[in-house]
Amino acid sequence: MKQTDASAAASASELISKRIAELGDWRGKTLARMRKLIKEAVPDVVEEWKWMGTPVWSRGGIICTGESYKSVVKLTFAKGASLQDPAGLFNSSLEGNVRRAIDIREGEELDASDFKALVREAVALNAAAKSSKAKTTKAKAAPKKRAKSANKKA
């Protein structure tokens, strides 16, 4: 890993910690808890700070974002529409073709094991997509063998 990548990751983590501290109410506590659960589910998760101040958690692609609003902490899963959600955690952005979100209101708490399972599934989906893309690229790059001509002179 390049030093600039490491310092950028540390900077993003610091910015996320700062955002949590700035919120200072139930939203900060909720965002901190969800961040902790994401890190427990995926210990090598990458924290990023994108789009003018949005915490993002990634591994092989975006897992989810963590936004805070006046009445809700929103966790938006980039490929949520492709994820199984047997626990029914997704409760927002249900009409979207790609994303799904979880809105957490004051006093609400998600089941930790259900949430971590959803995060792990998002990582697995990212890995599968990356693997599939690599296979497609490799197949396109492979030289094609020419069929022997049937009209060869004897």
Side-chain angles (χ1 to χ4, degrees), residues 61-133:
I62 294 175
I63 299 168
C64 68
T65 64
E67 302 155 82
S68 51
Y69 298 98
K70 184 175 181 177
S71 62
V72 70
V73 171
K74 179 181 284 289
L75 299 165
T76 303
F77 283 71
K79 298 176 185 171
S82 298
L83 300 176
Q84 298 297 313
D85 181 21
L89 297 179
F90 291 131
N91 60 8
S92 182
S93 304
L94 301 175
E95 68 287 343
N97 292 330
V98 180
R99 293 185 291 276
R100 293 284 183 272
I102 301 169
D103 286 354
I104 307 169
R105 290 174 175 67
E106 186 172 8
E108 295 179 343
E109 201 167 293
L110 298 182
D111 180 82
S113 61
D114 290 340
F115 180 72
K116 288 194 268 187
L118 193 63
V119 169
R120 287 186 196 108
E121 187 182 346
V123 171
L125 181 63
N126 286 345
K130 199 171 198 176
S131 173
S132 175
K133 189 175 182 178

Side-chain angles (χ1 to χ4, degrees), residues 14 24 27 38 54 56 73 77 80 100 118 137 140:
E14 290 169 4
R27 296 171 302 161
I38 291 167
T54 303
V56 178
V73 171
F77 283 71
R100 293 284 183 272
L118 193 63
T137 303
K140 286 181 182 178

Side-chain angles (χ1 to χ4, degrees), residues 148-154:
K148 293 183 180 178
S149 175
N151 298 334
K152 249 187 175 177
K153 292 182 181 178

